[in-house]
Protein backbone atom coordinates (compact mmCIF):
# COMPACT_ATOMS: atom_id res chain seq x y z
CA UNK A 1 0.00 0.00 0.00
CA UNK A 2 1.28 3.45 -0.87
CA UNK A 3 2.31 5.93 1.82
CA UNK A 4 -0.36 7.75 3.77
CA UNK A 5 -1.12 11.31 2.67
CA UNK A 6 -2.57 14.13 4.69
CA UNK A 7 -5.14 14.93 1.97
CA UNK A 8 -6.22 13.29 -1.27
CA UNK A 9 -7.87 15.60 -3.81
CA UNK A 10 -10.20 14.00 -6.35
CA UNK A 11 -10.42 16.02 -9.58
CA UNK A 12 -7.76 18.50 -10.70
CA UNK A 13 -9.82 20.91 -12.77
CA UNK A 14 -10.47 24.46 -11.63
CA UNK A 15 -11.44 23.82 -8.01
CA UNK A 16 -9.33 20.73 -7.42
CA UNK A 17 -6.14 22.28 -8.78
CA UNK A 18 -6.66 25.30 -6.52
CA UNK A 19 -7.28 23.03 -3.53
CA UNK A 20 -4.09 21.08 -4.25
CA UNK A 21 -2.14 24.35 -4.38
CA UNK A 22 -3.53 25.82 -1.16
CA UNK A 23 -3.22 22.54 0.75
CA UNK A 24 0.37 21.93 -0.31
CA UNK A 25 1.24 25.59 0.37
CA UNK A 26 0.32 24.95 4.00
CA UNK A 27 2.66 21.98 4.21
CA UNK A 28 0.12 19.20 3.76
CA UNK A 29 1.18 16.01 2.02
CA UNK A 30 -1.17 16.05 -0.96
CA UNK A 31 -2.10 13.45 -3.54
CA UNK A 32 -4.15 14.67 -6.50
CA UNK A 33 -6.01 12.21 -8.72
CA UNK A 34 -7.37 13.28 -12.11
CA UNK A 35 -9.44 11.20 -14.54
CA UNK A 36 -7.90 12.90 -17.60
CA UNK A 37 -4.66 14.65 -18.41
CA UNK A 38 -3.60 18.03 -17.01
CA UNK A 39 -5.61 21.07 -18.20
CA UNK A 40 -8.04 18.95 -20.23
CA UNK A 41 -11.17 20.04 -22.11
CA UNK A 42 -13.54 17.26 -21.05
CA UNK A 43 -15.25 19.11 -18.20
CA UNK A 44 -15.87 22.80 -17.50
CA UNK A 45 -12.52 24.56 -17.00
CA UNK A 46 -11.70 25.37 -20.63
CA UNK A 47 -12.75 27.61 -23.49
CA UNK A 48 -10.13 30.36 -23.38
CA UNK A 49 -12.02 32.86 -21.23
CA UNK A 50 -14.43 33.20 -18.32
CA UNK A 51 -16.06 36.39 -17.04
CA UNK A 52 -15.09 37.82 -13.68
CA UNK A 53 -17.18 40.57 -12.05
CA UNK A 54 -18.01 41.94 -8.62
CA UNK A 55 -21.49 43.52 -8.87
CA UNK A 56 -22.94 40.05 -8.62
CA UNK A 57 -26.59 39.76 -9.60
CA UNK A 58 -26.86 36.16 -8.38
CA UNK A 59 -26.69 37.28 -4.74
CA UNK A 60 -24.78 39.97 -2.80
CA UNK A 61 -23.53 37.22 -0.47
CA UNK A 62 -20.99 36.25 -3.12
CA UNK A 63 -19.24 39.62 -3.13
CA UNK A 64 -16.80 39.05 -0.22
CA UNK A 65 -15.64 35.85 -1.91
CA UNK A 66 -15.16 37.71 -5.18
CA UNK A 67 -13.07 40.40 -3.54
CA UNK A 68 -10.80 37.73 -2.09
CA UNK A 69 -10.66 35.88 -5.42
CA UNK A 70 -9.43 39.06 -7.14
CA UNK A 71 -6.56 39.24 -4.64
CA UNK A 72 -5.67 35.60 -5.12
CA UNK A 73 -5.68 35.87 -8.91
CA UNK A 74 -3.12 38.68 -8.63
CA UNK A 75 -1.03 36.47 -6.34
CA UNK A 76 -1.28 33.63 -8.84
CA UNK A 77 -0.04 35.79 -11.70
CA UNK A 78 2.89 37.06 -9.66
CA UNK A 79 3.87 33.58 -8.47
CA UNK A 80 3.78 31.92 -11.89
CA UNK A 81 4.23 34.69 -14.47
CA UNK A 82 1.19 33.41 -16.35
CA UNK A 83 -1.45 35.52 -18.06
CA UNK A 84 -4.51 34.97 -15.84
CA UNK A 85 -6.79 38.04 -15.68
CA UNK A 86 -7.64 40.98 -17.93
CA UNK A 87 -9.85 43.63 -16.33
CA UNK A 88 -11.12 45.43 -19.42
CA UNK A 89 -14.47 46.62 -18.04
CA UNK A 90 -17.91 45.19 -18.60
CA UNK A 91 -21.62 45.94 -18.81
CA UNK A 92 -24.67 44.16 -17.42
CA UNK A 93 -27.39 45.05 -19.93
CA UNK A 94 -31.17 44.76 -19.87
CA UNK A 95 -34.33 46.53 -18.84
CA UNK A 96 -34.02 48.30 -15.48
CA UNK A 97 -36.13 45.66 -13.73
CA UNK A 98 -34.30 42.70 -15.29
CA UNK A 99 -32.49 40.41 -12.91
CA UNK A 100 -29.18 41.07 -14.66
CA UNK A 101 -29.41 44.83 -14.10
CA UNK A 102 -31.37 45.08 -10.86
CA UNK A 103 -29.40 42.30 -9.16
CA UNK A 104 -26.09 43.82 -10.19
CA UNK A 105 -27.16 47.21 -8.89
CA UNK A 106 -28.27 45.68 -5.60
CA UNK A 107 -24.86 44.11 -5.01
CA UNK A 108 -23.02 47.27 -6.10
CA UNK A 109 -24.98 49.39 -3.66
CA UNK A 110 -24.86 46.93 -0.78
CA UNK A 111 -21.08 46.59 -1.00
CA UNK A 112 -20.32 50.13 -2.22
CA UNK A 113 -18.69 48.85 -5.39
CA UNK A 114 -17.58 51.39 -8.03
CA UNK A 115 -20.02 51.40 -10.92
CA UNK A 116 -21.90 53.59 -13.39
CA UNK A 117 -25.46 53.37 -14.71
CA UNK A 118 -25.73 54.02 -18.46
CA UNK A 119 -28.86 54.68 -20.51
CA UNK A 120 -29.21 53.34 -24.05
CA UNK A 121 -27.73 56.38 -25.86
CA UNK A 122 -24.72 56.37 -23.53
CA UNK A 123 -24.18 52.64 -24.07
CA UNK A 124 -24.18 53.18 -27.84
CA UNK A 125 -21.83 56.17 -27.56
CA UNK A 126 -19.27 54.45 -25.36
CA UNK A 127 -19.51 51.01 -26.93
CA UNK A 128 -20.51 51.35 -30.60
CA UNK A 129 -20.47 47.59 -31.11
CA UNK A 130 -23.56 47.30 -28.86
CA UNK A 131 -27.08 48.30 -29.99
CA UNK A 132 -29.41 48.29 -26.98
CA UNK A 133 -33.10 49.05 -27.29
CA UNK A 134 -34.28 52.44 -26.10
CA UNK A 135 -35.72 50.96 -22.90
CA UNK A 136 -32.54 49.11 -21.96
CA UNK A 137 -29.84 50.29 -19.55
CA UNK A 138 -26.53 48.95 -18.31
CA UNK A 139 -24.50 48.79 -15.16
CA UNK A 140 -20.89 49.43 -16.12
CA UNK A 141 -18.12 48.12 -13.88
CA UNK A 142 -14.51 48.92 -14.70
CA UNK A 143 -13.38 45.97 -12.56
CA UNK A 144 -15.20 43.45 -14.72
CA UNK A 145 -13.04 41.42 -17.07
CA UNK A 146 -12.03 37.95 -18.08
CA UNK A 147 -10.01 35.04 -16.77
CA UNK A 148 -7.96 32.49 -18.67
CA UNK A 149 -9.25 29.11 -17.40
CA UNK A 150 -6.55 26.91 -18.90
CA UNK A 151 -3.80 29.18 -17.61
CA UNK A 152 -5.43 29.28 -14.18
CA UNK A 153 -5.55 25.51 -13.85
CA UNK A 154 -1.99 25.18 -15.17
CA UNK A 155 -0.77 27.80 -12.69
CA UNK A 156 -2.35 26.05 -9.70
CA UNK A 157 -0.93 22.70 -10.82
CA UNK A 158 2.48 24.31 -11.30
CA UNK A 159 2.49 25.70 -7.76
CA UNK A 160 1.14 22.51 -6.23
CA UNK A 161 3.92 20.48 -7.87
CA UNK A 162 6.52 23.04 -6.81
CA UNK A 163 5.26 22.72 -3.24
CA UNK A 164 5.59 18.94 -3.23
CA UNK A 165 2.12 17.72 -4.16
CA UNK A 166 2.00 14.31 -5.83
CA UNK A 167 -0.30 14.74 -8.86
CA UNK A 168 -1.45 11.70 -10.83
CA UNK A 169 -3.16 12.19 -14.19
CA UNK A 170 -5.12 9.65 -16.22
CA UNK A 171 -5.77 7.83 -12.95
CA UNK A 172 -9.46 8.08 -12.01
CA UNK A 173 -10.75 7.12 -8.61
CA UNK A 174 -12.90 3.99 -8.74
CA UNK A 175 -14.20 4.17 -5.17
CA UNK A 176 -13.38 5.38 -1.70
CA UNK A 177 -14.32 4.29 1.81
CA UNK A 178 -13.78 5.30 5.43
CA UNK A 179 -10.60 3.74 6.76
CA UNK A 180 -9.41 3.93 10.36
CA UNK A 181 -9.36 7.66 11.17
CA UNK A 182 -9.39 8.73 7.54
CA UNK A 183 -10.16 7.41 4.07
CA UNK A 184 -8.97 4.82 1.62
CA UNK A 185 -9.13 5.63 -2.10
CA UNK A 186 -8.95 3.03 -4.86
CA UNK A 187 -7.88 3.43 -8.49
CA UNK A 188 -7.19 0.81 -11.11
CA UNK A 189 -3.48 1.24 -10.38
CA UNK A 190 -3.29 1.49 -6.62
CA UNK A 191 -4.91 2.02 -3.23
CA UNK A 192 -4.11 5.14 -1.22
CA UNK A 193 -4.84 6.22 2.33
CA UNK A 194 -5.13 9.70 3.80
CA UNK A 195 -6.45 11.52 6.81
CA UNK A 196 -8.74 13.69 4.66
CA UNK A 197 -10.44 13.61 1.28
CA UNK A 198 -11.45 16.59 -0.88
CA UNK A 199 -13.85 15.77 -3.72
CA UNK A 200 -14.11 18.20 -6.67
CA UNK A 201 -15.97 16.03 -9.19
CA UNK A 202 -17.40 18.62 -11.60
CA UNK A 203 -19.96 16.98 -13.88
CA UNK A 204 -19.36 13.63 -12.22
CA UNK A 205 -21.03 14.86 -8.99
CA UNK A 206 -24.37 13.15 -9.69
CA UNK A 207 -22.60 9.79 -9.72
CA UNK A 208 -19.98 10.33 -7.02
CA UNK A 209 -22.01 12.32 -4.49
CA UNK A 210 -25.48 10.81 -4.56
CA UNK A 211 -25.51 10.64 -0.76
CA UNK A 212 -25.53 14.46 -0.52
CA UNK A 213 -29.23 14.40 -1.43
CA UNK A 214 -28.81 17.25 -3.94
CA UNK A 215 -30.46 16.63 -7.34
CA UNK A 216 -27.68 17.92 -9.60
CA UNK A 217 -28.44 18.49 -13.28
CA UNK A 218 -25.63 18.31 -15.82
CA UNK A 219 -26.20 20.55 -18.84
CA UNK A 220 -24.47 20.65 -22.21
CA UNK A 221 -23.48 24.21 -23.06
CA UNK A 222 -21.93 25.63 -26.23
CA UNK A 223 -19.39 28.44 -26.69
CA UNK A 224 -19.07 30.14 -30.08
CA UNK A 225 -16.38 32.23 -31.79
CA UNK A 226 -17.19 34.60 -34.67
CA UNK A 227 -15.09 36.78 -36.94
CA UNK A 228 -16.84 40.20 -36.86
CA UNK A 229 -18.06 41.54 -40.19
CA UNK A 230 -15.75 44.56 -40.16
CA UNK A 231 -12.73 42.89 -38.58
CA UNK A 232 -11.69 42.60 -34.96
CA UNK A 233 -10.42 46.14 -34.36
CA UNK A 234 -13.78 47.44 -32.97
CA UNK A 235 -13.89 44.34 -30.75
CA UNK A 236 -10.49 44.73 -29.09
CA UNK A 237 -10.54 44.95 -25.27
CA UNK A 238 -9.93 48.71 -25.19
CA UNK A 239 -13.10 49.26 -27.25
CA UNK A 240 -15.48 46.35 -26.73
CA UNK A 241 -16.49 45.32 -23.19
CA UNK A 242 -17.27 42.03 -21.55
CA UNK A 243 -21.06 41.86 -21.36
CA UNK A 244 -23.98 39.95 -19.91
CA UNK A 245 -27.21 40.86 -21.71
CA UNK A 246 -30.74 39.89 -20.72
CA UNK A 247 -33.48 40.51 -23.26
CA UNK A 248 -37.17 41.25 -22.61
CA UNK A 249 -38.01 37.53 -22.55
CA UNK A 250 -35.37 36.77 -19.94
CA UNK A 251 -32.89 35.10 -22.30
CA UNK A 252 -29.31 35.96 -21.45
CA UNK A 253 -26.17 35.95 -23.57
CA UNK A 254 -22.62 36.77 -22.57
CA UNK A 255 -19.64 37.79 -24.63
CA UNK A 256 -16.02 38.89 -24.67
CA UNK A 257 -13.73 41.17 -26.64
CA UNK A 258 -11.41 39.66 -29.23
CA UNK A 259 -8.38 38.66 -27.17
CA UNK A 260 -6.52 36.07 -29.24
CA UNK A 261 -5.90 37.76 -32.58
CA UNK A 262 -7.75 37.93 -35.89
CA UNK A 263 -7.86 34.19 -36.46
CA UNK A 264 -9.83 33.56 -33.26
CA UNK A 265 -12.51 36.27 -33.39
CA UNK A 266 -14.73 37.06 -30.40
CA UNK A 267 -16.49 34.59 -28.13
CA UNK A 268 -20.18 34.55 -27.19
CA UNK A 269 -22.65 32.08 -25.67
CA UNK A 270 -26.15 31.70 -24.33
CA UNK A 271 -26.87 31.28 -20.62
CA UNK A 272 -29.10 28.47 -19.50
CA UNK A 273 -30.11 27.24 -22.92
CA UNK A 274 -28.30 23.93 -22.61
CA UNK A 275 -29.85 20.50 -22.49
CA UNK A 276 -29.49 17.73 -19.94
CA UNK A 277 -26.64 15.31 -20.52
CA UNK A 278 -24.07 13.19 -18.74
CA UNK A 279 -20.28 13.25 -19.06
CA UNK A 280 -20.47 9.92 -20.85
CA UNK A 281 -23.20 10.85 -23.37
CA UNK A 282 -22.55 14.54 -24.09
CA UNK A 283 -22.81 15.47 -27.77
CA UNK A 284 -19.53 17.21 -28.60
CA UNK A 285 -20.70 18.13 -32.10
CA UNK A 286 -22.08 21.67 -32.50
CA UNK A 287 -24.89 21.70 -35.06
CA UNK A 288 -25.84 24.22 -37.73
CA UNK A 289 -29.14 25.12 -36.08
CA UNK A 290 -27.29 26.02 -32.86
CA UNK A 291 -24.95 28.38 -34.72
CA UNK A 292 -27.97 29.89 -36.49
CA UNK A 293 -29.81 30.46 -33.20
CA UNK A 294 -26.96 32.38 -31.56
CA UNK A 295 -26.34 34.36 -34.78
CA UNK A 296 -30.00 35.39 -35.00
CA UNK A 297 -30.01 36.49 -31.38
CA UNK A 298 -26.82 38.52 -31.71
CA UNK A 299 -28.03 40.31 -34.82
CA UNK A 300 -30.26 42.53 -32.69
CA UNK A 301 -27.68 43.27 -29.98
CA UNK A 302 -24.18 43.05 -31.45
CA UNK A 303 -24.99 43.18 -35.18
CA UNK A 304 -21.39 43.24 -36.45
CA UNK A 305 -20.37 40.15 -34.51
CA UNK A 306 -22.05 37.20 -36.25
CA UNK A 307 -20.06 37.71 -39.43
CA UNK A 308 -18.14 34.50 -40.08
CA UNK A 309 -18.56 31.52 -37.78
CA UNK A 310 -15.10 30.25 -36.79
CA UNK A 311 -15.52 27.47 -34.27
CA UNK A 312 -17.47 26.23 -31.26
CA UNK A 313 -16.82 24.08 -28.21
CA UNK A 314 -18.94 22.31 -25.64
CA UNK A 315 -18.63 22.25 -21.88
CA UNK A 316 -20.78 21.13 -18.97
CA UNK A 317 -22.52 22.96 -16.14
CA UNK A 318 -23.39 20.98 -13.03
CA UNK A 319 -26.37 22.82 -11.60
CA UNK A 320 -28.18 22.75 -8.28
CA UNK A 321 -31.91 23.55 -8.06
CA UNK A 322 -31.28 27.04 -6.65
CA UNK A 323 -28.12 27.56 -8.75
CA UNK A 324 -25.94 28.19 -5.68
CA UNK A 325 -22.81 26.16 -4.99
CA UNK A 326 -22.21 23.21 -2.69
CA UNK A 327 -19.09 23.69 -0.55
CA UNK A 328 -19.04 21.91 2.81
CA UNK A 329 -17.79 19.10 4.96
CA UNK A 330 -19.69 16.01 3.84
CA UNK A 331 -22.71 15.62 6.18
CA UNK A 332 -22.20 11.84 6.45
CA UNK A 333 -18.41 12.10 6.89
CA UNK A 334 -17.77 15.51 8.46
CA UNK A 335 -14.44 14.58 10.01
CA UNK A 336 -12.81 13.26 6.86
CA UNK A 337 -14.48 14.42 3.63
CA UNK A 338 -14.96 17.88 2.08
CA UNK A 339 -16.90 18.49 -1.13
CA UNK A 340 -17.06 21.27 -3.71
CA UNK A 341 -19.51 20.87 -6.58
CA UNK A 342 -22.68 22.18 -8.21
CA UNK A 343 -21.10 25.43 -9.39
CA UNK A 344 -24.03 25.90 -11.75
CA UNK A 345 -22.05 27.53 -14.53
CA UNK A 346 -20.93 30.64 -12.61
CA UNK A 347 -18.18 29.20 -10.45
CA UNK A 348 -14.91 29.70 -12.27
CA UNK A 349 -14.32 33.26 -11.10
CA UNK A 350 -14.23 31.85 -7.54
CA UNK A 351 -11.60 29.17 -8.22
CA UNK A 352 -8.73 30.46 -6.04
CA UNK A 353 -10.89 31.37 -3.06
CA UNK A 354 -12.67 28.02 -3.25
CA UNK A 355 -9.24 26.41 -3.10
CA UNK A 356 -8.50 28.43 0.01
CA UNK A 357 -11.84 27.44 1.57
CA UNK A 358 -11.28 23.75 0.83
CA UNK A 359 -7.87 23.89 2.47
CA UNK A 360 -9.45 25.52 5.52
CA UNK A 361 -12.19 22.91 5.79
CA UNK A 362 -9.95 19.92 5.18
CA UNK A 363 -7.23 20.96 7.60
CA UNK A 364 -9.16 22.76 10.35
CA UNK A 365 -12.81 21.85 9.85
CA UNK A 366 -13.92 25.45 9.50
CA UNK A 367 -13.34 28.61 7.46
CA UNK A 368 -13.62 32.33 8.05
CA UNK A 369 -15.13 32.78 4.60
CA UNK A 370 -18.93 33.13 4.42
CA UNK A 371 -20.16 29.83 2.96
CA UNK A 372 -23.52 29.35 4.68
CA UNK A 373 -25.26 29.80 1.32
CA UNK A 374 -23.51 26.66 0.05
CA UNK A 375 -24.71 24.16 2.68
CA UNK A 376 -25.97 21.02 0.88
CA UNK A 377 -28.67 20.66 3.54
CA UNK A 378 -30.31 24.00 2.67
CA UNK A 379 -33.91 23.41 1.58
CA UNK A 380 -33.50 25.13 -1.79
CA UNK A 381 -30.69 22.74 -2.72
CA UNK A 382 -33.06 19.79 -2.42
CA UNK A 383 -35.91 20.95 -4.61
CA UNK A 384 -36.75 18.51 -7.34
CA UNK A 385 -37.27 19.48 -10.95
CA UNK A 386 -40.59 17.64 -11.05
CA UNK A 387 -42.65 20.69 -10.20
CA UNK A 388 -41.06 22.41 -7.24
CA UNK A 389 -39.82 25.91 -7.99
CA UNK A 390 -37.41 28.09 -6.04
CA UNK A 391 -38.57 31.14 -4.19
CA UNK A 392 -37.77 34.68 -5.27
CA UNK A 393 -34.73 34.57 -3.02
CA UNK A 394 -33.40 31.62 -5.00
CA UNK A 395 -34.21 32.34 -8.64
CA UNK A 396 -34.53 29.52 -11.10
CA UNK A 397 -32.47 31.09 -13.86
CA UNK A 398 -29.31 33.12 -13.98
CA UNK A 399 -26.17 34.03 -15.79
CA UNK A 400 -23.63 31.29 -16.09
CA UNK A 401 -20.24 32.83 -16.64
Amino acid sequence: MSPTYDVIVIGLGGMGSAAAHHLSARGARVLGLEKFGPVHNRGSSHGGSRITRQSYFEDPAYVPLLLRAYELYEDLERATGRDIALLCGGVMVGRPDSWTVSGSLRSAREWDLPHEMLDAPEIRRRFPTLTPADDEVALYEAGTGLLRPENTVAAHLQLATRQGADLHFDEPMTRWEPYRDGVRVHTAENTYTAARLVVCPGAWAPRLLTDLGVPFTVERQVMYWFQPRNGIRPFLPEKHPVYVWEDASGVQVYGFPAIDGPDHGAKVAFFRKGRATTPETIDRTVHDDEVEAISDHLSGQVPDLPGTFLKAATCMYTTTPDEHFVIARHPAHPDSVTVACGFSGHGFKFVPVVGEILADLALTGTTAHPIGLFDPARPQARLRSSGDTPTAAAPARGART
Side-chain angles (χ1 to χ4, degrees):
M1 183 175 294
S2 61
T4 297
Y5 293 89
D6 295 319
V7 187
I8 297 174
V9 178
I10 303 300
L12 293 173
M15 306 305 174
S17 63
H21 158 51
H22 284 281
L23 285 161
S24 57
R26 300 184 194 187
R29 293 170 296 167
V30 175
L31 169 66
L33 296 174
E34 168 56 50
K35 182 180 181 70
F36 302 106
V39 198
H40 63 82
N41 64 355
R42 311 304 293 172
S44 303
S45 299
H46 63 279
S49 57
R50 289 290 186 274
I51 291 177
T52 188
R53 50 194 168 88
Q54 295 181 356
S55 297
Y56 215 61
F57 54 79
E58 286 83 349
D59 196 301
Y62 285 90
V63 173
L65 299 177
L66 288 162
L67 297 177
R68 178 57 177 157
Y70 271 55
E71 295 174 345
L72 291 171
Y73 275 119
E74 290 184 5
D75 292 346
L76 192 62
E77 286 187 320
R78 283 193 295 267
T80 64
R82 294 180 182 267
D83 177 19
I84 302 291
L86 173 63
L87 301 183
C88 55
V91 286
M92 307 296 111
V93 187
R95 291 180 173 178
D97 61 350
S98 67
W99 187 37
T100 301
V101 174
S102 65
S104 299
L105 184 58
R106 176 189 173 199
S107 284
R109 287 174 171 169
E110 184 168 324
W111 290 98
D112 195 25
L113 300 173
H115 68 282
E116 301 175 60
M117 293 304 302
L118 312 179
D119 61 15
E122 183 65 7
I123 298 170
R124 298 184 201 114
R125 186 188 71 79
R126 291 176 62 168
F127 307 112
T129 51
L130 309 183
T131 58
D134 290 340
D135 62 349
E136 291 182 314
V137 299
L139 182 143
Y140 172 75
E141 184 179 64
T144 288
L146 61 92
L147 303 166
R148 297 286 199 170
E150 290 90 347
N151 285 0
T152 300
V153 175
H156 280 133
L157 295 176
Q158 174 186 337
L159 293 181
T161 301
R162 182 190 301 173
Q163 293 152 183
D166 190 7
L167 306 182
H168 294 193
F169 298 96
D170 300 304
E171 187 176 350
M173 177 187 72
T174 56
R175 62 186 175 92
W176 72 272
E177 66 215 4
Y179 178 73
R180 297 179 180 171
D181 294 330
V183 296
R184 184 160 55 188
V185 173
H186 302 270
T187 73
E189 288 80 12
N190 213 330
T191 297
Y192 307 95
T193 60
R196 301 288 184 267
L197 179 66
V198 172
V199 184
C200 303
W204 288 261
R207 180 168 62 84
L208 295 178
L209 294 172
T210 56
D211 51 354
L212 283 181
V214 177
F216 300 106
T217 300
V218 178
E219 302 170 17
R220 171 187 176 273
Q221 302 290 342
V222 182
M223 303 169 282
Y224 307 85
W225 285 259
F226 288 92
Q227 178 66 260
R229 286 192 178 92
N230 297 313
I232 67 167
R233 185 174 297 277
F235 286 83
L236 294 176
E238 58 268 26
K239 298 181 178 181
H240 179 73
V242 167
Y243 58 93
V244 178
W245 198 322
E246 180 178 343
D247 71 10
S249 68
V251 174
Q252 294 168 300
V253 294
Y254 67 95
F256 299 85
I259 55 174
D260 291 316
D263 294 335
H264 296 273
K267 176 183 167 184
V268 67
F270 281 115
F271 288 144
R272 313 307 294 169
K273 286 178 68 69
R275 58 177 180 264
T277 189
T278 70
E280 294 76 26
T281 63
I282 182 173
D283 181 3
R284 297 285 182 181
T285 300
V286 177
H287 303 278
D288 291 345
D289 62 326
E290 295 177 303
V291 177
E292 183 178 355
I294 190 75
S295 297
D296 289 346
H297 192 94
L298 287 172
S299 64
Q301 297 177 333
V302 195
D304 286 341
L305 182 55
T308 302
F309 170 66
L310 298 176
K311 64 178 181 176
T314 59
C315 68
M316 291 177 285
Y317 296 169
T318 307
T319 303
T320 65
D322 62 3
E323 299 176 11
H324 295 309
F325 310 156
V326 172
I327 307 174
R329 301 297 291 271
H330 195 300
H333 310 280
D335 294 331
S336 57
V337 182
T338 302
V339 299
C341 53
F343 288 94
S344 302
H346 63 114
F348 196 87
K349 60 185 70 65
F350 298 90
V351 157
V353 71
V354 170
E356 190 170 65
I357 291 166
L358 293 175
D360 291 342
L361 294 177
L363 297 178
T364 71
T366 188
T367 182
H369 290 296
I371 62 170
L373 184 63
F374 311 138
D375 187 341
R378 66 189 187 269
Q380 293 294 332
R382 295 170 178 271
L383 285 171
R384 293 289 175 180
S385 58
S386 59
D388 294 322
T389 54
T391 65
R397 62 171 177 80
R400 303 292 154 244
T401 56

